[in-house]
Amino acid sequence: EEQLGFYVECRAAFSNLDSILSYLVQCVCSLAVDTLNIVKGNHNKKTSSFVRGCIAYCYITVPSIRCTFTRLDMYLLTGQVALLNTSLVQCDSLYMESLTLLGEVPGLLTGTDGRQYSTERRLVSWVSRYVSSLLYLPDNPAQQPLHIFRELFKATEEYKHWSNSGHLRVRCILLSYLLAVGQPAFNFSIQNVESNDRLYGQNKKYLGQLDELLETLIEKIVANIDAIANLAQESVNEAELKRLGSVIMEGLDITQSRPYKLLLKVATLCREADSKYDITVEMLGTGTVTVRSSKLGPVLQRIQREISSGGV
C-alpha cells in the first residue's frame, strides 16, 4: 500500500510525460501480479480490495496518456491483469474502453527520422493480442453473448485506414477467435475464472448466436477476397490468403457448402499467385487435418479437380 501511494505521488509529479505515466501503469500492474503470487492465486478480502485499487489507479491514469497506441497497450495490459486477478467487472470495462480508441488510431505516424510509417501492422498485432485474452473473459450475464466481441467486430469494420490485406488479416484473426470460443473445452484456463466454455456448456442458443456471427464474418471475408482477387500475386495478399486457407481447413467444416466455396475461392487465388502452391496438399502434408483426413479426403480431391479445370 505504501508502494502504491508512492506511485500516486509520482503520477501527480509527472502528469505530462507519457513515458513516465505508461511506466507507472506497468509498475502498478506488476504490483497487482506480485500480490496474486503472494496469495498463490487465491485472494482474501484485503488483497482483493488492494488489487482492485491497483486496477482503478491504472484506469484513471491511462486516459492522461496522449499517444493512442500507448493507451491501447496500457488498457489491454491492465485488463489482462484484472482478468488474472478475477476482477471481471473491471476487466470488462477496460476492454470496452479500449475499443472506443480504435477510431482514433491514425493510418500514418511520423517516425524519428521524419518519414511517415503505416500503423496497420501494429494495430493488427494489438487486435491479435486483444482476442487472445478476450477468449478467457466470460460474458457479462447482463449483456448478450459475446457482447465485447461484437463491439470489436463493429470497431474494426468502421476503421477507415485498412488496406485490403490488413483488413483480411484482421478478419482472419476474428474468425480464429470465433472458432476457438465455440470449442466444448478450452485448452487452457485461468485460475478461479469460468470462461465461456464452462459458462455456456455448449448451450444451443449460445451456439446459434455464434453461428450467426460466423456467417456474417464469412460474408465479409468473401467480399474482402473479391476485392483483392486481381491483386493476389502481391506477396502480402498471397500470404494472407494462405493464412486464411489454413484457418478455414483447421476450424470450419468444409464438407458444408459455404466453407467449401470459401476454401475453393482461396485455394484458386493461391494457385494463381503461385502455380507450385497447393493449399490442400500443404495442409495434409503438415498433419493438421490428418485426424479428419478420411472425411476430408474426397472433399480436398474435389477442390483440386475444380482448381485444375478452372471451375470456380
Side-chain angles (χ1 to χ4, degrees):
E1 289 174 348
E2 290 179 0
Q3 188 71 23
L4 181 59
F6 170 71
Y7 291 143
V8 171
E9 293 177 5
C10 289
R11 181 178 63 190
F14 301 101
S15 59
N16 294 322
L17 297 175
D18 276 12
S19 57
I20 299 296
L21 292 177
S22 63
Y23 179 70
L24 288 172
V25 170
Q26 293 174 71
C27 287
V28 174
C29 284
S30 295
L31 201 59
V33 174
D34 288 342
T35 305
L36 180 68
N37 290 333
I38 290 171
V39 297
K40 298 183 175 17
N42 293 298
H43 283 296
N44 55 44
K45 187 175 181 179
K46 184 176 182 180
T47 59
S48 178
S49 176
F50 173 72
V51 165
R52 287 197 298 271
C54 290
I55 296 167
Y57 171 98
C58 297
Y59 188 85
I60 293 170
T61 306
V62 172
S64 300
I65 298 173
R66 290 185 295 272
C67 175
T68 305
F69 268 116
T70 305
R71 270 186 287 160
L72 283 171
D73 288 338
M74 293 302 102
Y75 271 133
L76 179 56
L77 173 64
T78 309
Q80 290 169 337
V81 171
L83 178 60
L84 198 60
N85 283 277
T86 64
S87 185
L88 302 183
V89 174
Q90 286 180 308
C91 180
D92 199 283
S93 297
L94 287 157
Y95 277 23
M96 289 294 288
E97 191 69 29
S98 65
L99 296 182
T100 64
L101 297 177
L102 286 188
E104 300 178 17
V105 176
L108 298 170
L109 282 178
T110 303
T112 54
D113 58 357
R115 298 171 60 187
Q116 288 193 318
Y117 296 90
S118 171
T119 60
E120 183 174 87
R121 182 177 295 182
R122 188 172 176 182
L123 186 56
V124 168
S125 174
W126 184 88
V127 172
S128 180
R129 289 183 286 117
Y130 184 93
V131 298
S132 295
S133 53
L134 179 63
L135 177 65
Y136 299 99
L137 176 63
D139 284 339
N140 186 336
Q143 302 285 346
Q144 67 180 139
L146 303 173
H147 66 285
I148 296 182
F149 173 81
R150 295 172 193 271
E151 291 299 320
L152 172 64
F153 186 24
K154 180 181 177 182
T156 55
E157 288 300 308
E158 292 176 350
Y159 184 67
K160 300 178 180 179
H161 302 294
W162 296 123
S163 65
N164 284 324
S165 61
H167 207 169
L168 180 59
R169 176 63 179 136
V170 165
R171 285 168 170 164
C172 186
I173 291 170
L174 299 183
L175 177 61
S176 296
Y177 168 84
L178 288 178
L179 295 174
V181 81
Q183 296 176 105
F186 297 164
N187 292 330
F188 304 97
S189 62
I190 297 174
Q191 187 175 351
N192 299 321
V193 175
E194 286 195 353
S195 300
N196 282 350
D197 57 336
R198 296 183 180 180
L199 183 65
Y200 292 110
Q202 296 295 285
N203 177 275
K204 290 184 178 180
K205 184 178 179 181
Y206 167 70
L207 293 178
Q209 294 198 36
L210 184 60
D211 286 341
E212 289 177 8
L213 287 170
L214 275 169
E215 289 283 331
T216 302
L217 183 55
I218 288 174
E219 288 177 4
K220 297 286 187 182
I221 289 173
V222 169
N224 214 158
I225 292 173
D226 290 338
I228 67 173
N230 296 327
L231 304 172
Q233 287 77 10
E234 295 183 8
S235 59
V236 62
N237 291 328
E238 181 185 344
E240 296 307 332
L241 286 169
K242 291 178 179 178
R243 185 179 286 112
L244 173 60
S246 299
V247 172
I248 294 168
M249 293 188 68
E250 290 174 16
L252 292 175
D253 182 4
I254 63 172
T255 62
Q256 299 298 314
S257 175
R258 187 183 291 271
Y260 173 84
K261 291 179 180 179
L262 178 59
L263 180 60
L264 177 60
K265 184 184 288 283
V266 171
T268 302
L269 290 174
C270 286
R271 175 66 70 87
E272 290 175 358
D274 183 353
S275 59
K276 297 180 180 180
Y277 183 83
D278 189 326
I279 193 170
T280 56
V281 173
E282 183 78 13
M283 290 301 296
L284 286 171
T286 60
T288 304
V289 293
T290 51
V291 175
R292 300 180 292 155
S293 58
S294 58
K295 182 180 179 181
L296 298 184
V299 180
L300 298 177
Q301 291 173 3
R302 180 183 165 196
I303 288 176
Q304 290 172 336
R305 287 196 299 270
E306 291 201 41
I307 293 175
S308 299
S309 64
V312 181

